[in-house]
Amino acid sequence: MEDTFFLNYTIWNYIALLYFFIIWIGYSNFAKYMAKRTHCLASVLDVHRVSWMERMMLRENRIGDAALLANLERNVNFMASTTVIIVAAVLTALTSASKWVLFESVGSGFNQYKLGLLLFIMVYAFFSFTWSLRQYGFGSVLVGAAPMPDQEEFNARQRKEYAYSTGKILDQAGHAFNYGLRAYYFAMASLAWFIHPLLFMFATTLVVAVLYRREFSSKALKLLVMDADILEGKIR
């Protein structure tokens, strides 16, 4: 009976791992595709970032804008630092697992690959967070270099294009941060693999459902859309 397909852990481990990557990559591409066709957190925040930069161009005192950017960078830096700690913890578990009763079988079978998957996700998250941090740094430089309202050598079109480009840089930073956060969600799902591959598949599906609900149908999104419509003059 132990050799039946349903109870064959080796087969289900392969299926669960393949399912995990298909769902993760598939959802990322789906979210990117839908962001161009409907409202979601990414597309609406893009509108707000560009509007923020357009208003920044009208202000002589930009200390508040710099403080907001510093706060965003601080949040990303916190996540990047946390990820480094998690990476170190997973590496420690991989290299000294035989010394711990809890992981006494980690060195054999699929348990080693389970920790390897978690390590891979955390490394990916680290690269996403650090790239986001760098792009927020680029945005800070652009805010500092933005022309002042009394500089007559810059016309309205140049100012608008500068604001748009700066807003897009911040938008790319926000996307990279979102990729890192999304990796954390899938890392939570990967923990279920230590219990059973079927539970791993269920947790992966649940994570996608949570991500979709928050990115495409949350109350926060509805409020952001309403504010974006006000900024664009659709609501008077």
Side-chain angles (χ1 to χ4, degrees):
M1 181 66 69
E2 293 181 355
D3 293 331
T4 61
F5 179 80
F6 184 78
L7 294 179
N8 193 321
Y9 269 44
T10 300
I11 293 176
W12 279 109
N13 278 320
Y14 282 122
I15 293 175
L17 184 60
L18 180 62
Y19 179 81
F20 174 80
F21 280 109
I22 289 175
I23 292 297
W24 186 0
I25 297 172
Y27 178 76
S28 297
N29 290 328
F30 169 80
K32 188 182 298 184
Y33 174 83
M34 291 300 294
K36 300 176 182 178
R37 289 161 177 78
T38 186
H39 291 306
C40 69
L41 291 178
S43 61
V44 174
L45 284 173
D46 180 27
V47 175
H48 285 290
R49 290 185 181 105
V50 173
S51 297
W52 173 18
M53 291 299 103
E54 288 177 348
R55 280 149 185 77
M56 180 273 298
M57 299 287 289
L58 303 175
R59 290 190 281 268
E60 291 187 5
N61 188 336
R62 293 163 181 172
I63 296 177
D65 302 295
L68 288 173
L69 280 173
N71 183 60
L72 291 172
E73 291 184 66
R74 190 159 48 246
N75 292 335
V76 181
N77 186 54
F78 170 78
M79 294 302 299
S81 301
T82 302
T83 305
V84 171
I85 296 174
I86 297 175
V87 168
V90 175
L91 283 173
T92 301
L94 277 170
T95 56
S96 60
S98 59
K99 300 178 182 179
W100 300 88
V101 176
L102 180 63
F103 293 114
E104 59 183 359
S105 63
V106 166
S108 61
F110 268 87
N111 288 321
Q112 187 175 6
Y113 297 107
K114 295 169 186 178
L115 283 173
L117 175 63
L118 185 59
L119 178 63
F120 169 79
I121 297 172
M122 288 295 102
V123 170
Y124 171 81
F126 174 77
F127 277 100
S128 296
F129 287 135
T130 52
W131 180 230
S132 174
L133 193 61
R134 288 196 66 188
Q135 290 184 98
Y136 275 124
F138 301 156
S140 298
V141 172
L142 292 175
V143 168
M148 301 301 290
D150 58 354
Q151 289 185 274
E152 298 180 356
E153 61 267 31
F154 299 100
N155 57 41
R157 180 181 177 182
Q158 290 174 316
R159 293 175 184 277
K160 189 173 184 64
E161 289 180 352
Y162 191 96
Y164 178 81
S165 299
T166 306
K168 283 297 181 180
I169 286 289
L170 297 180
D171 186 57
Q172 291 300 310
H175 281 305
F177 182 65
N178 188 38
Y179 294 150
L181 285 181
R182 192 178 292 165
Y184 263 72
Y185 278 80
F186 282 102
M188 294 297 104
S190 72
L191 295 177
W193 197 12
F194 287 93
I195 302 174
H196 196 280
L198 289 178
L199 184 61
F200 178 31
M201 295 171 69
F202 173 77
T204 302
T205 305
L206 182 62
V207 162
V208 169
V210 171
L211 286 173
Y212 178 83
R213 171 122 173 58
R214 293 186 176 180
E215 292 187 32
F216 291 93
S217 61
S218 62
K219 291 183 179 179
L221 173 62
K222 295 176 182 177
L223 294 172
L224 286 169
V225 169
M226 183 180 68
D227 290 339
D229 289 341
I230 292 173
L231 292 174
E232 294 179 333
K234 296 179 181 179
I235 297 179
R236 299 182 183 280

